[in-house]
């Protein structure tokens, strides 16, 4: 007992000493090696550690274990390496405008709240502890990173990775992103895999070759997928989008699964996707709160459950099989409320345009009406207006 007791006291003192370390408060910004030596003995820095316009190639923080604040290193074109072998914890790691930086080595770093790295064009080598935790926010742009993975984080505020020309993989087990997921990273062969992501606020994804967001259930604001190279967009469990859904200029996209999507609270845009000629994959979509725009080599459109479009409708097909009258008459005119319709196809006698604000219709239908005219073939004007009036009054009761 005696021995254990004293051993215990010894441990207590030892630990106290370890955790206090040599503390340094609010250091002034550091610009060269001689200023750096003034903090070399610090084990703990309280406040932000700012290193800027640094004139030497190497920053070595040999004793530093913890920063109760941010580490900001910026505007240092000479800097090649940053090493902090004992550093375990800091708030934000902000690196910007470091055009010669090629190595960041923090092999014991476990707790970091935010990574913000911008304009580090030759950075290709990052060494962190393999179990980095607590990251909430990640912004990485203009680097030469080739891969990004391994962060054990369930909830992120933002994941913004853009303009990293060599980045080929992004993997994470993140489950929720409360701000934006932005991947606009133009190595043309980027594979993005976030299979556990269930809920996200805003999504914008460009230049991606393979996409796995298969766990996604809800998008609270908008999603835009532009200029990607993936063939498959499989979002079988996505039920609602709080803003706009925009799928544009994806040259190889042919397989879309959105079979459970019921509502789009903004607009819906499906534009110029080379391999999409049949837009019939929105089998449960009932409501579009904004406008609907669909264009490209369209053969056929169908929205079997669509009951309400609050904005305007704009359709343009370059496929000669496409028939404006059919889709407008059988489906879209029935769902439209308030907006106008234009539809253009190869066959001009088939084209269609409505212009909103026709007073007669408005009077009859309490602002549910709009002008309707056919671009050519004026003799169909009357039947189409009648058709629209009928659908509008059916709807006024129905919703
Ligand atoms: C999205 O909205 C739902 C319902 O308001 C909320 O429970 C969820 O946390 C939100 N998700 C994100 C990622 O903000
Ligand atoms: C990446 O995208 C940016 C902006 O979109 C563009 O200026 C740049 O030329 C692109 N780089 C490559 C390699 O495609
Ligand atoms: C997405 O990733 C998960 C987990 O790795 C995997 O089980 C699933 O098959 C992938 N889905 C697609 C469509 O690749
Ligand atoms: C979609 O949800 C169902 C039911 O919760 C689940 O069984 C299935 O694995 C989910 N699909 C994906 C790709 O996560
Ligand atoms: C769609 O493609 C056509 C023809 O290539 C082009 O004129 C038009 O600007 C494109 N629209 C969008 C929104 O990209
Ligand atoms: C609706 O049509 C009428 C008659 O052609 C025209 O005078 C009016 O300006 C149109 N309204 C709008 C908003 O285009």
């Amino acid at each position: 007992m005696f021995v254990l007791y004293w051993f215990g006291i010894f441990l207590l003192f030892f630990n106290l000493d370890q955790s206090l370390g040599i503390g340094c408060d609010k250091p002034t910004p550091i610009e060269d090696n001689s200023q750096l030596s003034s903090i070399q003995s610090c084990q703990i820095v309280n406040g932000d550690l700012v290193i800027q316009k640094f004139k030497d190639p190497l920053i070595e923080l040999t004793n530093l274990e913890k920063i109760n604040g941010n580490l900001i290193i910026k505007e240092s074109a000479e800097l090649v390496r940053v090493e902090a072998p004992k550093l375990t914890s800091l708030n934000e790691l902000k690196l910007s405008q470091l055009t010669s930086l090629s190595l960041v080595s923090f092999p014991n770093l476990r707790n970091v709240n935010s990574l913000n790295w911008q304009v580090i064009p030759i950075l290709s080598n990052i060494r962190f502890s393999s179990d980095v935790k607590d990251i909430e926010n990640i912004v990485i742009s203009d680097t030469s990173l080739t891969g990004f993975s391994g962060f054990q984080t369930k909830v992120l505020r933002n994941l913004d990775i853009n303009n990293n020309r060599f980045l080929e993989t992004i993997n994470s087990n993140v489950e929720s992103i409360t701000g934006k997921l932005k991947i606009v990273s133009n190595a043309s062969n980027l594979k993005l895999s976030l299979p556990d992501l269930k809920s996200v606020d805003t999504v914008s994804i460009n230049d991606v070759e393979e996409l796995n967001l298969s766990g996604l259930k809800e998008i609270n604001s908008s999603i835009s997928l532009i200029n990607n190279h993936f063939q498959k967009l499989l979002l079988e469990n996505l039920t609602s989008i709080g803003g706009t859904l925009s799928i544009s200029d994806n040259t190889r996209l042919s397989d879309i699964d959105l079979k459970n999507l019921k509502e789009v609270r903004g607009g819906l845009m499906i534009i110029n996707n080379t391999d999409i000629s049949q837009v019939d994959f929105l089998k449960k979509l009932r409501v579009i709160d904004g406008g609907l725009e669909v264009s490209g080599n369209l053969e056929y459109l169908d929205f079997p459950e669509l009951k309400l479009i609050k904005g305007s409708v704009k359709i343009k097909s370059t496929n000669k099989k496409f028939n404006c009258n059919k889709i407008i008459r059988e489906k879209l005119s029935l769902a439209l409320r308030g907006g106008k319709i234009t539809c253009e196809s190869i066959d001009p006698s088939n084209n269609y345009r409505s212009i909103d604000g026709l007073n007669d219709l408005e009077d009859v239908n309490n602002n549910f009406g709009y002008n309707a005219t056919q671009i050519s073939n004026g003799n169909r004007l009357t039947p189409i207006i009648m058709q629209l009036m009928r659908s509008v009054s059916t709807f006024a009761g129905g919703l």
Side-chain angles (χ1 to χ4, degrees), residues 289-301:
D289 278 356
L292 170 65
E293 184 172 350
V294 188
S295 70
N297 178 29
L298 309 170
E299 242 174 69
Y300 174 73
L301 304 187

Side-chain angles (χ1 to χ4, degrees), residues 193 195-196 211-214 232 234:
S193 180
D196 300 330
L211 182 70
N212 187 337
L213 292 177
S214 57
K232 296 178 182 194
L234 306 179

Side-chain angles (χ1 to χ4, degrees), residues 22-27 38-47:
I22 298 178
C24 303
D25 293 338
K26 300 198 180 75
S38 72
I39 62 150
Q40 274 302 356
S41 60
C42 304
Q43 287 171 296
I44 296 175
V45 167
N46 295 307

Side-chain angles (χ1 to χ4, degrees), residues 214-215 236-237:
S214 57
E236 65 166 300
N237 284 341

Side-chain angles (χ1 to χ4, degrees), residues 133-197:
K133 286 200 280 279
D134 303 337
I135 295 193
E136 283 180 9
N137 200 39
I138 298 175
V139 179
I140 297 180
S141 69
D142 300 285
T143 71
S144 296
L145 292 178
T146 56
F148 181 88
S149 61
F151 295 102
Q152 304 297 311
T153 298
K154 299 267 186 257
V155 181
L156 281 175
R157 211 158 60 237
N158 295 297
L159 179 59
D160 176 353
I161 300 190
N162 68 80
N163 291 302
N164 302 283
R165 283 183 302 144
F166 302 103
L167 192 62
E168 295 181 354
T169 55
I170 299 175
N171 296 314
S172 166
N173 61 356
V174 64
E175 292 176 7
S176 170
I177 297 178
T178 58
K180 67 180 173 211
L181 167 63
K182 178 177 167 191
I183 308 292
V184 182
S185 232
N186 46 13
S188 58
N189 52 350
L190 177 63
K191 296 176 177 54
L192 172 64
S193 180
L194 308 173
D196 300 330
L197 185 65

Side-chain angles (χ1 to χ4, degrees), residues 176-178 199-201 218 220:
S176 170
I177 297 178
T178 58
S199 177
V200 57
D201 191 66
E218 59 177 0
N220 289 7

